[in-house]
Amino acid sequence: MNSVRSIRPSSRSATAKPFWRGYLQAHDYSGYHASFREGVTHVACWAHARRKYFDVVKAMPRGARPGLAHHALRLIGLIYRIERQIAEADPDTRRQHRQRRTKRVLAWFHCWLTAHASTLLPKSPLAKAFAYTLSNWTALTVFIDDGSLAADNNLSECAMRPVALSRKNWLFAGSERGGQAAAVLFSLIETTRLNGVEPYAYLKDVLARINAHRVDRLEELLPMNWTPAAV
């Protein structure tokens, strides 16, 4: 799952295949690597990094002494504690807190990871958790420089949950164009929910009036700007 922000047109020539540039928040999926090479900024997800340590702790025998995985979870917990405290702040304030507080936690965490990584069995789950965090470190720390970014992409993960739960229903979109249409529709529905709009009422109203709506004023029909026709 991923989330996208700050999309802007590419400056490439008209003959080149167009692409967008901005922030793409996602785990380390190799399918995105080409986009990162083209100028898209990878914003990694701390929830994905945390999950790897959590799985190590979960697999430990009952009564086992806390180890490196537990300590990693505590350090990540400090990051999230700060995020909870600044959740309602404006982007500039969030950035200031992250620069002053989160950056110090991350610096300590990186030193700690580097110091212990070489002591682990290379193929062990814990070593893989360390390797994942260190190999994605640059992407994991992008959020401290931009207050409009999140520490993880749990918001989009939750938005995509209905699709994941019903994946067999969406297994065949019919064509590539059908898949693109489905992606647009899913995005639109989740955007209505994020803006407190009932999806069915929105779609019913917009589809009934969009053909008569002025093309240069289509933004009025976006979920965040929408006013029911009756009103």
Side-chain angles (χ1 to χ4, degrees):
M1 310 300 177
N2 62 80
S3 56
V4 179
R5 199 188 71 78
S6 296
I7 299 175
R8 62 181 184 273
S10 166
S11 60
R12 299 173 75 185
S13 65
T15 57
K17 185 177 180 180
F19 66 95
W20 57 266
R21 287 182 178 175
Y23 294 113
L24 173 61
Q25 187 160 35
H27 54 80
D28 191 25
Y29 171 50
S30 60
Y32 297 136
H33 289 180
S35 297
F36 301 148
R37 289 192 295 270
E38 292 281 5
V40 176
T41 301
H42 183 197
V43 185
C45 172
W46 273 104
H48 280 90
R50 180 187 182 280
R51 192 173 304 151
K52 297 182 181 300
Y53 298 103
F54 179 80
D55 289 341
V56 172
V57 172
K58 187 177 179 181
M60 293 177 66
R62 181 175 298 180
R65 295 181 60 185
L68 295 178
H70 292 81
H71 191 65
L73 290 177
R74 284 195 291 271
L75 289 171
I76 296 174
L78 292 177
I79 298 171
Y80 275 96
R81 181 185 301 174
I82 297 171
E83 288 300 300
R84 287 193 296 271
Q85 293 171 354
I86 62 177
E88 302 301 322
D90 61 80
D92 286 339
T93 302
R94 283 200 296 271
R95 181 184 180 278
Q96 292 170 10
H97 278 271
R98 289 169 177 172
Q99 289 288 315
R100 187 173 71 253
R101 302 166 62 194
T102 309
K103 197 169 185 177
R104 287 187 296 174
V105 176
L106 290 171
W108 167 252
F109 193 14
H110 188 266
C111 290
W112 180 83
L113 288 167
T114 304
H116 289 283
S118 61
T119 67
L120 305 174
L121 293 174
K123 299 297 183 180
S124 67
L126 184 57
K128 291 179 180 179
F130 270 61
Y132 179 91
T133 307
L134 287 170
S135 64
N136 287 281
W137 191 256
T138 298
L140 282 167
T141 57
V142 170
F143 80 105
I144 67 172
D145 294 318
D146 191 329
S148 62
L149 295 174
D152 58 47
N153 62 340
N154 280 345
L155 186 63
S156 60
E157 291 271 354
C158 292
M160 290 295 290
R161 192 176 301 279
V163 179
L165 293 176
S166 303
R167 58 170 58 91
K168 289 186 178 180
N169 293 333
W170 333 121
L171 190 57
F172 300 103
S175 64
E176 181 178 350
R177 186 176 179 183
Q180 293 172 348
V184 169
L185 184 58
F186 287 137
S187 297
L188 190 60
I189 290 174
E190 291 304 325
T191 302
T192 62
R193 289 174 174 167
L194 288 173
N195 284 274
V197 175
E198 203 283 310
Y200 178 77
Y202 169 80
L203 291 173
K204 182 179 179 181
D205 178 78
V206 170
L207 291 176
R209 56 195 274 214
I210 192 169
N211 286 338
H213 202 81
R214 288 179 51 174
V215 176
D216 61 343
R217 293 172 54 183
L218 285 177
E219 68 276 2
E220 295 175 354
L221 300 181
L222 292 174
M224 63 286 294
N225 302 326
W226 173 70
T227 301
V231 176

